[in-house]
Amino acid sequence: MTLSRDGVAAVIGRPIHHSLSPVIHGAWLEAAGLNNQYIALAPETPQAVGALLDSDTLLGCNVTAPYKEVVFDWARTRGVVIGPEAAVTRSVNLVRLGDRPRAESTDGTGLLAAIRGQAPHLDLAAATVVVLGAGGAGRAAVQAMTSGGATDIRVVNRTRDRALVLAEEQGAGVAGFGLDEVEVALTGSHLLINAASSLETLDLAGMSAGGAVMDMTYRPLETPLLARARARGLTPIDGLAMLIGQARPSFEVLFGLPAPEIDVRRLCLEALEAQG
C-alpha cells in the first residue's frame, strides 16, 4: 500500500495483526466525521521502523512491542522533542510527525485510567503497589504510580539487580526485589500490576482485602492471574481498559480532536470474540 502524509496514521509493531488499535481509532474517526485512516503496519526490523518514521508516509503513529524502545532511540538520535513520561520510561508509544515531530508515552495515562475506571475505590496515595517487571512496561507502571500519588512501590523482577536499578532511578518510595522475594513484596499490598511478559503462578494470599490486580495484556481479556484475583475477592483490572485509556490522548494528538464519547470497549469485545 502506497501512502502519503494526507491524514493516515498507524500503529506499528510486530506481530500486529491482533491489535485492536485500528478498531478503536477507526470507530472514533467515523464518529467524529473525519476522513482520515488508521492502519496497522508491521516493519520487520528496527531499521525499517526508522526508515518509516523518516519518510513522508504518516502523520504519526502509535507504537507497540517490540519497538517502543527502538522509537525512543530514534527520537533521541533525530533530535525529536521527547515528552516527560517517555523520557522517564525511555520508551515511546506515540509519535507525531510532520513539521514539529514529538515523541510521547501515553501508557501511564492509560494505566491510571484503567485503575480509576475498574477499581475506583483504590486510593493510590495510601496504597502499597507491586509492579512485576522492570522493563519498559514496568518503568511506565512505576512512573504512572508515582504521578498518581503512590509512595510505596515495590518492583519485582527476575533479575533483582535490574529492579534495584529502576528503584534507584525513581528515588524514595520505590524498592527493588528479586522474583524469589515476590511473596515478601506482595505482603500487605493493595495493588499488583503485571508488567512482565510471562508469569508463573503467584500466591495472592498476602495481598490486602479489597485490593486489586491488573494485567497489562488483553489476550485473553481475563488472564489466569486475573481469574485467580477474582476468585480471591480481589478486583481485576484488564489490559483492554488500559489500551483504551492510552488511545484517547493519542487520538487527540494524531487527529487534533478529542476522542468522541462512544462505547469503543463494546466494539473491542466484539472484535476479540470474532478473532477467537
Side-chain angles (χ1 to χ4, degrees), residues 7-9 25 28-29 32 34-38 59-60 94-97 100 247-260:
V8 178
H25 288 277
W28 283 336
L29 286 170
L34 298 177
N35 293 322
N36 303 73
Q37 290 180 278
Y38 187 98
L59 61 85
L94 173 63
V95 180
R96 184 186 68 198
L97 299 170
R100 294 180 295 169
R248 287 189 178 278
S250 295
F251 183 87
E252 187 161 1
V253 168
L254 292 171
F255 302 110
L257 292 174

Side-chain angles (χ1 to χ4, degrees), residues 111-129:
L111 194 155
L112 288 172
I115 293 170
R116 290 164 181 159
Q118 297 190 333
H121 65 283
L122 274 183
D123 178 7
L124 289 180
T128 294
V129 181

Side-chain angles (χ1 to χ4, degrees), residues 38-129:
Y38 187 98
I39 62 174
L41 297 173
E44 293 187 0
T45 65
Q47 293 76 18
V49 172
L52 177 64
L53 297 178
D54 286 335
S55 70
D56 289 335
T57 305
L58 302 170
L59 61 85
C61 63
N62 287 117
V63 186
T64 189
Y67 293 135
K68 291 183 179 183
E69 293 175 346
V70 169
V71 175
F72 175 82
D73 289 338
W74 169 86
R76 184 171 49 81
T77 58
R78 298 302 192 280
V80 171
V81 175
I82 297 174
E85 185 177 322
V88 169
T89 61
R90 299 194 298 277
S91 68
V92 168
N93 82 327
L94 173 63
V95 180
R96 184 186 68 198
L97 299 170
D99 296 334
R100 294 180 295 169
R102 186 176 178 90
E104 307 269 8
S105 175
T106 62
D107 283 336
T109 301
L111 194 155
L112 288 172
I115 293 170
R116 290 164 181 159
Q118 297 190 333
H121 65 283
L122 274 183
D123 178 7
L124 289 180
T128 294
V129 181

